[in-house]
Amino acid sequence: MTRFTTGAAALGLMLGILAPIPAGAWERGEVDVLAVLPDVTPGVQSSVEGLTVGPDGNIYVPTFGFNTKGAISGNAVLFVISPNGNVLRKVTIQNSSPHMLGLAFNPFNSDLLVLDFGAGNVLKVDPRTGASSVCAGPIANSGLNALTFDRSGNAYVSDSFNGVIWKVPPNCGSYSAWSSDPLLGNGAGALTPPFGANGVEFNTAGTTLFVANTAFHQIIQIPFNKNGTAGKASIFITGINAPDGIAVDRYDNIWICANQEDEIVVIDKTGKVIAKRGDFRGIGQDGIARGFLFPASLAFGIDGASVYVSNLTLFLPYAGAEPAIDSAWTLAVKAYTVSKIPAIIPPFPDRDGR
């Protein structure tokens, strides 16, 4: 639900040179399976949502703790995947619930923070051993979802149930409500998917925090005041079908996981859609989704050439929500995946005058 190093990501952002396409049509491109994730324990698999790219270039993905039979038990697991798709290791996140969401490395001290959705804690996790300690929390009745960092190393954590952006200092140990604007709420759980504040990311100047509100299908913008406080939130755009994880490139384009449209939507800094990438193309005989199925988090590779995407593939009724348009498909999945697409914005005929 956050990016790693906007500047590096920019190296791969370019206009694609593609075959002619019909006027006004999106060139969605292909979605490659980067990795099929192994069992958490023998015979037990888990969906994944949070995803980040580490300073070593590897992709880090923790388990969300649901599969086609419902919730699983035990501690969560962290998968570490190489850029070429090899699962390098899986480590148990000690003293955790089964249900992890967002994670990111603090660029100032290299700490890996992982959000324990099930326990309401922000955890500091050793990515090699899985040893963990509570950085902040527990936060009551929370739905800790995604996080990002400002230029001083403070973490900003979205809470999908309380409708709050929490601020956690670099040295951990405390937290405070940075913004609790009503635009961050989830409609009291009446909407599907029932998550308010979700993906979070700053613009390149660090002057605005963008927040995806999944339930209301909106991207919210919150000014970042010079003294570090939050300005008044406002709606930046609306109408994206269940926006989830977001990432920002060096041109201030926002890449958005539309989790119920099974696509990545790219909007420019004015809020105009300039690309749609990927789609759902069914379930193979091997039980693996083709394309995206409930894409939830995305991050640029450190070489800037690729975007990695987690497929949550969640049957929403298992999480206490009403079924959504792709819910039935999720029950046919036999293995969970991380996808990969090129970090390319193709030319759009009507937009580019072609």
Side-chain angles (χ1 to χ4, degrees), residues 15-16 272 274 345-354:
L15 291 179
K272 180 181 180 180
I274 57 174
I345 299 174
F348 184 58
D350 287 354
R351 183 193 76 209
D352 299 324
R354 301 177 188 176

Side-chain angles (χ1 to χ4, degrees), residues 10-316:
L11 296 175
L13 293 167
M14 62 197 82
L15 291 179
I17 301 174
L18 302 169
I21 55 177
W26 300 108
E27 174 48 60
R28 292 179 172 269
E30 295 297 322
V31 177
D32 295 325
V33 175
L34 175 71
V36 177
L37 299 174
D39 291 354
V40 175
T41 58
V44 178
Q45 297 177 326
S46 174
S47 60
V48 293
E49 174 166 347
L51 180 150
T52 195
V53 173
D56 55 5
N58 293 323
I59 299 94
Y60 293 75
V61 184
T63 52
F64 186 49
F66 287 88
N67 58 31
T68 56
K69 297 179 181 179
I72 66 175
S73 59
N75 297 126
V77 165
L78 177 68
F79 296 109
V80 183
I81 307 166
S82 70
N84 64 2
N86 291 325
V87 179
L88 301 176
R89 63 183 181 273
K90 65 174 186 178
V91 297
T92 298
I93 301 177
Q94 299 169 24
N95 304 311
S96 72
S97 84
H99 309 297
M100 300 292 110
L101 284 185
L103 73 168
F105 287 86
N106 190 326
F108 294 88
N109 57 23
S110 299
D111 286 348
L112 175 61
L113 299 188
V114 185
L115 303 182
D116 190 334
F117 178 85
N121 288 320
V122 180
L123 297 179
K124 183 166 70 172
V125 176
D126 185 317
R128 298 205 65 88
T129 68
S132 75
S133 60
V134 175
C135 175
I139 301 174
N141 305 312
S142 63
L144 303 184
N145 203 317
L147 74 160
T148 192
F149 296 96
D150 67 18
R151 296 181 176 183
S152 299
N154 298 295
Y156 296 81
V157 178
S158 63
D159 184 336
S160 297
F161 296 162
N162 289 320
V164 173
I165 303 297
W166 302 102
K167 181 178 180 179
V168 179
N171 58 357
C172 297
S174 64
Y175 62 92
S176 59
W178 183 74
S179 178
S180 55
D181 192 280
L183 288 175
L184 303 175
N186 67 352
L191 303 174
T192 294
F195 298 94
N198 198 324
V200 287
E201 193 53 86
F202 282 102
N203 66 347
T204 56
T207 57
T208 301
L209 182 71
F210 292 103
V211 184
N213 186 311
T214 304
F216 284 95
H217 313 293
Q218 295 169 342
I219 301 295
I220 307 301
Q221 57 185 353
I222 306 175
F224 187 82
N225 296 328
K226 290 183 179 180
N227 63 0
T229 60
K232 182 175 176 54
S234 62
I235 298 170
F236 181 56
I237 56 164
T238 191
I240 292 179
N241 193 346
D244 201 327
I246 61 177
V248 176
D249 66 37
R250 75 164 177 176
Y251 303 106
D252 278 322
N253 301 314
I254 307 175
W255 296 58
I256 306 163
C257 288
N259 70 33
Q260 291 305 299
E261 205 65 41
D262 297 322
E263 66 184 9
I264 305 300
V265 177
V266 186
I267 60 174
D268 67 15
K269 59 185 177 183
T270 72
K272 180 181 180 180
V273 175
I274 57 174
K276 292 187 177 183
R277 307 296 285 155
D279 206 344
F280 173 60
R281 300 184 181 277
I283 309 292
Q285 292 183 350
D286 54 5
I288 296 172
R290 298 189 180 100
F292 295 135
L293 183 54
F294 208 132
S297 300
L298 74 169
F300 294 106
I302 60 172
D303 64 357
S306 300
V307 178
Y308 304 107
V309 184
S310 63
N311 290 298
L312 176 55
T313 318
L314 176 65
F315 184 64
L316 279 169

